[in-house]
Amino acid sequence: MNNRKDLVLTFLQQKPNESFSAKVLAEELKLDRSNVSRYLNELYNENKVHKNAGRPVLFQFKPSRTEKEEGESKAFSKIVGHSLSLKVMVQQAKAAILYPPRGLHTIIFGETGTGKSVFARSMYEFALESKAMSQDAPFISFNCADYAQNPQLLFGHIFGVKKGSYTGATEDSPGLLKKADGGILFLDEIHRLPPEGQEMLFTFIDKGVYQPLGESGKEYEASVQIIGATTENSDVLLSTFNRRIPMSITMPPLRERTIDERYQLVASFLQQEAHRLNQEIVAEREVVLAFMLYHPEANIGQVERDLKLVCAKAFLHYRTNNEDHLTITQEDLPLPVQKGLLLKKEAPERLNRIVKPQQKHFSFEPNQPQPDYFLGSGEDMSVYNAIEERVDELLKSGAEQIDLETFVENGMGHYFSDYIEQLASREVRKELISKEILKATDLVYDVAEKRLNRSFNNSTRFAFSLHLQSTLDRIRENRQIIHPNLNGVRKQYSKEFQVAIELSALIEEQFAIEIPLDEIGFITMFLTIDLTEKAEKTQEKVGIVVIMHGKSTATSMLETVQELLDTKVGIALDMPLTMKVKEMYEVVRTTLRQKSKEYTKGIFLLTDMGSLNSFGGILAEELSLPIKTLSMTSTPIVLEAVRMASLGRPLEDIYHSCLSAMNTSLQQIVSVQKNKPHAIVVTCFTGEGVAKSLEDKLENEIDTSAVKIISLQFLQREQFRQQIDHLMADYDIKAIVGTVAFDYASIPYYSAYDIFEDSKLNELKRRLEVHVSIEEMANSLSGTLRAVGSISDLLTKIQTVVNQVLTDRRLQIDSGVKVGLMLHMAFLVDALKSGTITRKFPKKEAFLKENRLLMDVVKTKLLSLEQQYSIQFPEDEITYISYIIIENAF
């Protein structure tokens, strides 16, 4: 320690009960203030002084800690990032366990695969380690989703069951609360607990007592700390329940974790597998890089799954080719993982320091020390055992070549859990940035504007506040900051660099830290960001158009998004309920035509419901522009669309990103629907067995010349969904029949039991009734319709309109009714071309009031016929068409 730094520490040590600012100490000791500030921060990092984060920042001597106080908890050290990204979460968890007298009930939020279950288990281990709970305290884990469809069983598992409380309850059964007495009850997916279950649970939290199902006269006591976990936000839980959970912890997704932590995850897993298999694993450099850089949808859980898959493939090669170790090459990686290599240019400078360019292979040997980190895979060897057994079977059968690639690629669904779909896109929350940092940001930019005679918008300021928050964390945790082109920035932007030096002094004063030279380079870049923004503003972008029913619904939603993102991207068009559909269409068409030169990259329509959903297809033809439409839009979806459009992303990317964010099966609205052959998908786990029986039954009941029966194997839900997506390009899938309930858009699902039950089978057969062909209908009308030109063309267009209406409103009508409706509409078009229709629909107003949405959709779909044949459908005739549909729908 240098003499001046020692002088500062001695001064504080002599006055242990007093706190001093850097300015006061500098005056007392007659030293330079900036040097005193640096000494104080070094002493703080050396754990020799306390630092008060108020204003001004005060420092106080910190007595030496006892050996017991210096002891480090081992419970959380098994988690990757416990001292980095998860540092705050670990502190929260410790506080929750140690809070007197029995800890705090806790809920852990986080996306799928962020490690909530492992974190909860670590909380329990910390409770034992810190003696907050006895060494024999239980840890009971329960997934509420397992019984979410049967609340009675769910409540019974948690609270216990009294004999005779319901059919099947033949004896008293203790609940999880009793089993967890004195310990922790971990309720995973707690949002699947119905409201009445939440009420029963918060009664227990309040009073420490509960009643088993069927028990009315007696209450039972238990001392249990509840830890819940959910992928949802707190809004899905009862407010009364939320108030009773005092501690909430949010696990960050993998994309927010450091590159060092990504490496630790990969290396720890491979080391763990080498130890379990007792074999060396050698991975190419590209393998490690790809796993560090790719974007797994299901976070750490998916990284573990993908790593286990490539290890299984490597084990297959090792076992079948009698190699002396397992080798993982780039070719073994799933395609999404390989795509991580495309992100090398965007990777931080730190990457090459962790995975050095000259190191071509990474070796993980079984005799190396076991990693401290726990990834949750336990001792599960079933995947390797399955490969061993299959290889032995083939060898015994005399097979000359053993190719198990298909087994590894397609048969692993039994060993790996399904991926869970992403949550809806989260909104930008400015409140996540502390007021202290926002205030410092404004101070910095106010000075910068004066020095540079340049203005900076709110977007730039907000971006800098995020950066500053991260920088402060890195400096306080002694993590190095490296600018990849510091000299280049200093030369190219010398004026801004000088201002950045001045600003760094302000930040040092504000937060009592020392800003490294490399960080000054980053501050310089933030001062030049507006220069690059000017060029970006001239770039053509996809047009975002929000159209919704109501006087100000669209406008209000878009204004909220524009304010959050500080942008002017997007157009909002409101449709008052008194406005006619055709009038609204003209407003939209005129607006977009005026903007057509700006929207050469395409237009993304975001609508709410009804007739507005149909505008896209017609506008695409009229304006000759690529247009995508997404209905049932919410504020987070508009935010995602505007954000991506602002970045210049293409239309397809924006559409699919928003579609994924909605986490639903919303379908793109198209202007023309192809006449595709009908099909039924029959499925079971093997693709044989039950599926074959169902196929035989259906072949005896339906006309297979008109409806194709397609048998598929159901191993993994997401993979099955992709297969359906692929089939829908060529087939009109009328139903999915099988052993696993599968919800896909408007395609109905029938269980194996349904197919052998008359009423359900008849319902399916009605959906499959063979339609009269357009040619047959056109021939029957030959010589009858004289004013419409080609009768076949007219019927084709009418069929499209009818199908669009039924699809939009998710309705079904018998094929005979559909033929009759098409004939009715064909005669109507001919009559409108040659004369005037004057008939009135009785009690029209009452019908309109009850069926407004259907009427709007029919009006919109008929626009194409009106334009094609230069006619206008009277409202009474539109009402007759709507009446035929609604009265015959099932």
Side-chain angles (χ1 to χ4, degrees):
M1 184 186 299
N2 62 48
N3 291 334
R4 291 180 179 178
K5 181 175 172 183
D6 189 38
L7 184 64
V8 171
L9 180 61
T10 301
F11 181 88
L12 292 174
Q13 193 171 8
Q14 291 171 349
K15 300 183 180 184
N17 298 321
E18 298 182 46
S19 299
F20 300 88
S21 68
K23 182 179 179 181
V24 171
L25 279 172
E27 292 171 352
E28 288 282 342
L29 299 173
K30 294 182 171 47
L31 298 174
D32 178 75
R33 189 209 64 78
S34 61
N35 287 335
V36 171
S37 176
R38 187 171 75 254
Y39 299 150
L40 287 168
N41 280 289
E42 288 175 1
L43 290 169
Y44 173 74
N45 290 330
E46 292 165 6
N47 209 26
K48 293 179 179 178
V49 297
H50 288 293
K51 181 165 68 171
N52 178 357
R55 287 290 172 270
V57 178
L58 301 177
F59 294 83
Q60 183 179 3
F61 178 73
K62 185 176 185 179
S64 297
R65 298 168 66 181
T66 65
E67 185 173 340
K68 180 179 179 182
E69 290 174 326
E70 291 289 350
E72 180 84 20
S73 165
K74 295 182 180 179
F76 291 101
S77 65
K78 297 178 181 180
I79 301 177
V80 172
H82 67 92
S83 61
L84 297 172
S85 299
L86 301 181
K87 184 175 181 179
V88 173
M89 296 78 186
V90 169
Q91 290 171 348
Q92 288 177 298
K94 289 180 178 179
I97 293 296
L98 297 176
Y99 194 87
R102 296 184 185 129
L104 297 174
H105 300 296
T106 302
I107 187 163
I108 305 174
F109 296 98
E111 297 177 10
T112 299
T114 48
K116 298 184 292 296
S117 300
V118 172
F119 195 82
R121 184 79 194 190
S122 295
M123 289 179 67
Y124 166 70
E125 291 175 3
F126 176 74
L128 301 184
E129 178 185 279
S130 61
K131 297 187 166 115
M133 294 180 181
S134 65
Q135 293 302 304
D136 60 352
F139 178 83
I140 305 297
S141 178
F142 179 71
N143 192 319
C144 298
D146 291 344
Y147 296 93
Q149 304 305 318
N150 193 328
Q152 196 174 47
L153 279 179
L154 178 58
F155 301 158
H157 273 281
I158 296 175
F159 300 99
V161 177
K162 190 71 176 173
K163 179 180 177 180
S165 59
Y166 59 82
T167 303
T170 56
E171 58 184 17
D172 291 349
S173 175
L176 299 178
L177 287 175
K178 182 174 181 179
K179 294 178 181 178
D181 191 13
I184 289 174
L185 173 58
F186 174 57
L187 297 175
D188 201 3
E189 298 196 62
I190 197 171
H191 62 276
R192 302 297 295 275
L193 193 63
E196 54 269 36
Q198 294 179 42
E199 291 174 355
M200 294 165 70
L201 196 57
F202 72 59
T203 299
F204 168 74
I205 291 172
D206 281 347
K207 301 178 180 178
V209 297
Y210 66 95
Q211 288 183 322
L213 248 61
E215 180 80 69
S216 57
K218 185 178 179 182
E219 291 182 334
Y220 296 82
E221 293 185 1
S223 175
V224 177
Q225 185 171 356
I226 304 293
I227 300 178
T230 177
T231 54
E232 302 289 333
N233 58 42
S234 60
D235 295 342
V236 303
L237 300 170
L238 294 176
S239 59
T240 48
F241 185 72
N242 277 322
R243 288 197 294 269
R244 287 163 171 82
I245 305 290
M247 178 64 76
S248 64
I249 298 172
T250 300
M251 301 295 289
L254 192 57
R255 60 183 173 275
E256 295 177 10
R257 306 287 288 270
T258 67
I259 197 71
D260 300 72
E261 292 169 359
R262 291 289 292 258
Y263 175 76
Q264 289 172 358
L265 284 168
V266 177
S268 297
F269 183 89
L270 293 176
Q271 183 61 53
Q272 181 176 275
E273 293 299 280
H275 177 80
R276 289 166 56 202
L277 291 167
N278 197 31
Q279 291 293 339
E280 180 186 10
I281 297 177
V282 176
E284 291 181 351
R285 179 175 186 270
E286 287 71 19
V287 170
V288 177
L289 283 176
F291 271 106
M292 291 171 68
L293 295 174
Y294 87 119
H295 297 315
E297 293 182 2
N299 295 293
I300 297 173
Q302 184 175 337
V303 174
E304 184 184 1
R305 177 192 185 280
D306 290 335
L307 277 165
K308 192 153 192 173
L309 180 62
V310 298
C311 284
K313 294 178 72 174
F315 182 77
L316 168 65
H317 298 311
Y318 156 81
R319 181 66 178 80
T320 56
N321 299 324
N322 294 317
E323 297 174 350
D324 57 2
H325 63 266
L326 279 71
T327 303
I328 305 175
T329 66
Q330 181 180 336
E331 289 73 24
D332 293 325
L333 303 180
L335 183 59
V337 179
Q338 289 195 49
K339 287 183 178 178
L341 296 173
L342 302 176
L343 304 175
K344 282 196 288 188
K345 290 185 178 180
E346 302 173 22
E349 180 72 18
R350 175 79 177 146
L351 181 69
N352 284 331
R353 301 188 180 198
I354 300 172
V355 184
K356 295 179 174 56
Q358 62 269 26
Q359 187 171 356
K360 301 303 180 185
H361 294 86
F362 287 76
S363 176
F364 303 91
E365 298 180 2
N367 56 2
Q368 291 176 347
Q370 268 283 78
D372 291 333
Y373 302 112
F374 174 68
L375 297 178
S377 57
E379 296 299 323
D380 178 21
M381 296 289 289
S382 59
V383 61
Y384 303 115
N385 294 338
I387 291 175
E388 288 274 19
E389 290 171 8
R390 186 70 178 128
V391 169
D392 288 339
E393 286 177 13
L394 291 174
L395 289 174
K396 289 176 182 177
S397 67
E400 295 181 2
Q401 290 185 335
I402 305 174
D403 181 7
L404 297 183
E405 294 292 334
T406 303
F407 170 74
V408 176
E409 294 286 0
N410 301 324
M412 295 310 223
H414 178 69
Y415 303 103
F416 303 116
S417 59
D418 289 348
Y419 289 172
I420 300 179
E421 296 177 357
Q422 286 184 298
L423 298 178
S425 176
R426 293 179 297 170
E427 294 186 25
V428 175
R429 297 180 179 176
K430 293 186 179 180
E431 61 266 24
L432 293 179
I433 306 299
S434 70
K435 292 180 180 179
E436 183 182 38
I437 288 178
L438 291 174
K439 182 179 178 181
T441 299
D442 285 336
L443 173 64
V444 164
Y445 273 97
D446 288 346
V447 173
E449 288 183 344
K450 292 178 182 177
R451 300 289 185 271
L452 297 172
N453 192 25
R454 188 185 305 156
S455 61
F456 296 89
N457 60 33
N458 290 333
S459 178
T460 301
R461 291 182 180 227
F462 181 55
F464 181 78
S465 68
L466 290 169
H467 171 77
L468 178 58
Q469 182 167 268
S470 174
T471 297
L472 293 175
D473 289 340
R474 292 186 70 86
I475 292 174
R476 287 164 178 164
E477 294 168 8
N478 289 322
R479 287 188 279 155
Q480 195 172 12
I481 295 175
I482 300 174
H483 192 291
N485 186 27
L486 182 62
N487 288 331
V489 169
R490 183 161 47 185
K491 290 178 183 178
Q492 186 175 358
Y493 302 107
S494 57
K495 183 179 180 181
E496 286 83 359
F497 190 83
Q498 291 302 315
V499 174
I501 293 175
E502 181 181 352
L503 300 181
S504 68
L506 290 175
I507 296 171
E508 287 180 338
E509 174 76 26
Q510 190 83 354
F511 297 98
I513 59 171
E514 184 175 2
I515 299 292
L517 191 62
D518 286 74
E519 174 57 26
I520 294 174
F522 285 112
I523 296 174
T524 303
M525 296 177 69
F526 274 95
L527 297 179
T528 64
I529 199 170
D530 64 318
L531 303 177
T532 55
E533 280 185 349
K534 290 177 182 176
E536 290 176 0
K537 285 179 181 177
T538 61
Q539 179 184 356
E540 292 181 350
K541 297 179 173 66
V542 170
I544 304 298
V545 183
V546 184
I547 317 174
M548 295 192 177
H549 292 83
K551 292 182 179 179
S552 60
T553 309
T555 300
S556 176
M557 188 178 291
L558 184 62
E559 284 178 353
T560 300
V561 168
Q562 290 175 333
E563 182 180 350
L564 281 170
L565 298 179
D566 192 28
T567 182
K568 294 183 179 179
V569 170
I571 296 175
L573 297 173
D574 300 301
M575 179 182 175
L577 296 179
T578 55
M579 180 180 282
K580 294 182 179 179
V581 176
K582 197 165 185 178
E583 292 173 5
M584 187 62 196
Y585 178 78
E586 290 300 325
V587 170
V588 177
R589 182 175 65 172
T590 302
T591 303
L592 296 188
R593 181 165 281 163
Q594 293 170 351
K595 296 273 189 178
S596 59
K597 291 184 179 178
E598 300 175 30
Y599 294 158
T600 55
K601 283 194 170 184
I603 298 170
F604 190 23
L605 297 183
L606 296 164
T607 67
D608 53 357
M609 59 183 180
S611 56
L612 299 178
N613 300 343
S614 307
F615 284 5
I618 305 170
L619 289 167
E621 291 187 15
E622 286 208 31
L623 302 179
S624 298
L625 286 173
I627 295 178
K628 293 278 188 180
T629 305
L630 201 60
S631 63
M632 303 298 289
T633 299
S634 60
T635 301
I637 303 306
V638 177
L639 186 138
E640 176 69 2
V642 171
R643 183 188 71 81
M644 293 189 70
S646 301
L647 296 173
R649 299 289 291 277
L651 178 59
E652 285 293 331
D653 282 5
I654 298 173
Y655 171 73
H656 286 292
S657 177
C658 291
L659 190 64
S660 174
M662 290 181 79
N663 204 20
T664 67
S665 297
L666 290 174
Q667 296 179 338
Q668 177 187 0
I669 299 167
V670 293
S671 57
V672 178
Q673 297 182 347
K674 295 190 297 183
N675 290 321
K676 303 172 186 176
H678 297 172
I680 296 176
V681 172
V682 177
T683 181
C684 70
F685 289 113
T686 63
E688 302 173 0
V690 177
K692 187 65 173 67
S693 299
L694 292 173
E695 190 173 344
D696 292 342
K697 173 68 174 176
L698 289 171
E699 285 178 349
N700 292 328
E701 297 288 344
I702 66 174
D703 182 2
T704 54
S705 64
V707 181
K708 183 177 178 64
I709 299 176
I710 301 172
S711 182
L712 289 182
Q713 186 179 14
F714 191 108
L715 276 178
Q716 198 262 353
R717 188 170 294 274
E718 184 57 33
Q719 184 185 56
F720 186 72
R721 187 183 298 278
Q722 292 171 3
Q723 289 178 299
I724 297 294
D725 285 338
H726 181 73
L727 286 173
M728 287 185 71
D730 300 310
Y731 294 98
D732 177 11
I733 299 178
K734 290 299 188 180
I736 297 173
V737 178
T739 54
V740 183
F742 187 82
D743 181 25
Y744 188 102
S746 57
I747 301 176
Y749 167 78
Y750 293 88
S751 69
Y753 176 80
D754 291 336
I755 299 306
F756 292 91
E757 199 269 319
D758 289 343
S759 63
K760 286 289 186 180
L761 181 59
N762 290 334
E763 178 187 315
L764 174 60
K765 289 163 73 174
R766 284 203 305 273
R767 291 180 180 274
L768 301 173
E769 287 177 341
V770 179
H771 299 273
V772 179
S773 69
I774 295 292
E775 289 73 18
E776 291 175 303
M777 294 172 64
N779 290 335
S780 68
L781 297 175
S782 179
T784 306
L785 305 181
R786 302 180 182 277
V788 296
S790 170
I791 298 175
S792 180
D793 287 349
L794 171 63
L795 290 171
T796 299
K797 290 179 174 62
I798 290 174
Q799 184 184 56
T800 299
V801 168
V802 172
N803 287 338
Q804 287 176 338
V805 171
L806 295 174
T807 300
D808 191 289
R809 299 306 304 148
R810 297 192 176 187
L811 299 174
Q812 292 280 341
I813 58 177
D814 287 335
S815 59
V817 174
K818 185 182 287 188
V819 170
L821 177 59
M822 290 173 62
L823 292 174
H824 168 82
M825 292 172 65
F827 278 101
L828 178 59
V829 171
D830 188 71
L832 290 172
K833 287 286 291 180
S834 56
T836 304
I837 301 293
T838 57
R839 61 179 172 177
K840 299 293 182 183
F841 186 90
K843 299 181 180 180
K844 182 174 69 176
E845 294 305 319
F847 183 85
L848 288 174
K849 187 175 181 180
E850 292 182 8
N851 300 281
R852 183 181 184 86
L853 287 178
L854 176 60
M855 283 286 292
D856 282 350
V857 172
V858 174
K859 284 181 185 179
T860 306
K861 303 302 182 185
L862 290 174
L863 285 174
S864 59
L865 286 175
E866 289 182 333
Q867 293 174 352
Q868 181 72 29
Y869 291 97
S870 301
I871 57 174
Q872 184 170 359
F873 288 93
E875 189 169 57
D876 289 86
E877 291 301 330
I878 296 173
T879 309
Y880 272 112
I881 294 171
S882 303
Y883 178 79
I884 294 171
I885 292 172
I886 201 68
E887 286 298 308
N888 291 280
F890 62 89

